[in-house]
Amino acid sequence: MFILALQSTAAEAALPDPVRAMIEAAIATGDKAKVATVVEIAKQTNPGDVAEIDSLDSAFRQQVASREAAERARKEQEIRTAGLLDNWHGKGQVGAFQSSGNSHDVGVSLALNLDRKGIDWQHKLTATVDYQRSNGRTSRERYLFAYEPRVRVSPDLFTFGLAQYERDTIQGFASRYSLSGGLGYNVISSPDLKLSAKAGPVFRRTELVDGDAENHLGGLAGFDLDWKINPRLTFTQNANMVAETGGSATLIVDSDNTTLALNSGLEAKISDRLSTRLSYALNYDSNPPPQGVSIDTMTRFTMVYGF
């Protein structure tokens, strides 16, 4: 036993002090990548001391794992005890223009996106406003407010609900309410690329500017894409398609109606919180009101503030 102890002490002393100091300095930084690099070099240059180097590396990894587990537990407890107004994150966008001379135009584009993630729940709030007057006449007036809660069933499968309000008098409807729910799936979930798809039934009530109202049952399909091209450039793509049946509750029977809302955006980061965003929105209605058109588009250039 005494001989084994002497051999163990001799083995520990075999690692040169400069090498040990280099490894301990890397460990002191807490940087796992840096420690892995130093350990790999130390093994290559000191092949006879691999066991001791592995022992130092193993002790560091255990410390990191313990620290990360404690941090995860702290964050989980913080989420579980958070109040209703806590832990919300989001982005606000604003864009405006004014022209005079041959034409007098003024317009504003506003958007707000809020997101709150819990242990299994996620809440998403969206609001957009587009308003424009040309030569004293309102030429665009579109509002959208949506709330979408999600509940995680498995790491990639989730259920969702959707409550949405729209107003677009230029397109011919004073109000449009949508209620939907169903299943969704995270097709891709990586730090730089996220893609989710969802589908379910939908009930929609449309109140036209002429006073008539239509109720429809149909189906909803959508997807969300976020692609971080590089640390300062992000591409986003969101789409919702709704296919309706004919009128039912109001006993109005018409042709089937399909709508598509497509939003594409490219964000360029200026600072940690401020970005510029170029976006393109397309709204398609296969059976618009008499004064409306099937395709309505909007290109925006806005400033985005994240919080």
Side-chain angles (χ1 to χ4, degrees), residues 283-302:
N283 291 280
Y284 169 76
D285 191 333
S286 66
N287 186 25
Q291 61 268 54
V293 296
S294 292
I295 296 178
D296 189 31
T297 65
M298 167 66 80
T299 301
R300 304 181 185 91
F301 182 79
T302 54

Side-chain angles (χ1 to χ4, degrees), residues 228-234 267-272 274-275:
K228 186 177 291 185
I229 301 173
N230 62 48
R232 306 193 72 84
L233 194 63
T234 302
E267 287 187 17
K269 200 170 185 180
I270 298 175
S271 65
D272 289 342
L274 192 63
S275 304

Side-chain angles (χ1 to χ4, degrees), residues 25-185:
I27 289 174
T29 67
D31 188 330
K32 292 188 288 185
K34 185 177 293 185
V35 172
T37 301
V38 171
V39 165
E40 184 65 25
I41 294 173
K43 287 181 178 180
Q44 292 176 2
T45 56
N46 299 269
D49 303 309
V50 169
E52 185 177 355
I53 294 171
D54 280 340
S55 178
L56 292 171
D57 185 36
S58 177
F60 167 71
R61 291 178 181 273
Q62 290 176 7
Q63 291 176 1
V64 170
S66 177
R67 187 166 59 246
E68 291 178 345
E71 180 63 16
R72 286 195 298 270
R74 185 193 66 79
K75 288 184 177 180
E76 181 174 327
Q77 181 63 21
E78 186 179 86
I79 292 173
R80 292 187 184 279
T81 58
L84 182 62
L85 301 180
D86 296 330
N87 294 338
W88 285 95
H89 303 279
K91 295 180 179 180
Q93 303 178 46
V94 59
F97 68 90
Q98 188 272 336
S99 67
S100 61
N102 292 321
S103 64
H104 297 271
D105 303 310
V106 62
V108 63
S109 179
L110 303 172
L112 178 65
N113 296 278
L114 297 176
D115 185 278
R116 184 179 191 264
K117 292 182 179 179
I119 304 301
D120 295 313
W121 279 81
Q122 180 179 6
H123 303 268
K124 299 173 68 175
L125 287 170
T126 302
T128 61
V129 175
D130 290 311
Y131 183 80
Q132 178 178 331
R133 288 185 66 83
S134 300
N135 296 322
R137 184 180 63 87
T138 300
S139 56
R140 184 174 185 85
E141 185 183 10
R142 181 174 179 83
Y143 309 101
L144 183 146
F145 303 94
Y147 168 58
E148 180 181 338
R150 293 183 176 185
V151 181
R152 186 176 64 175
V153 179
S154 70
D156 292 318
L157 185 67
F158 62 88
T159 62
F160 77 94
L162 177 65
Q164 181 171 290
Y165 167 81
E166 300 170 84
R167 174 181 172 87
D168 193 335
T169 55
I170 305 303
Q171 279 292 93
F173 60 89
S175 301
R176 184 156 66 187
Y177 306 90
S178 302
L179 290 175
S180 179
L183 289 175
Y185 189 79

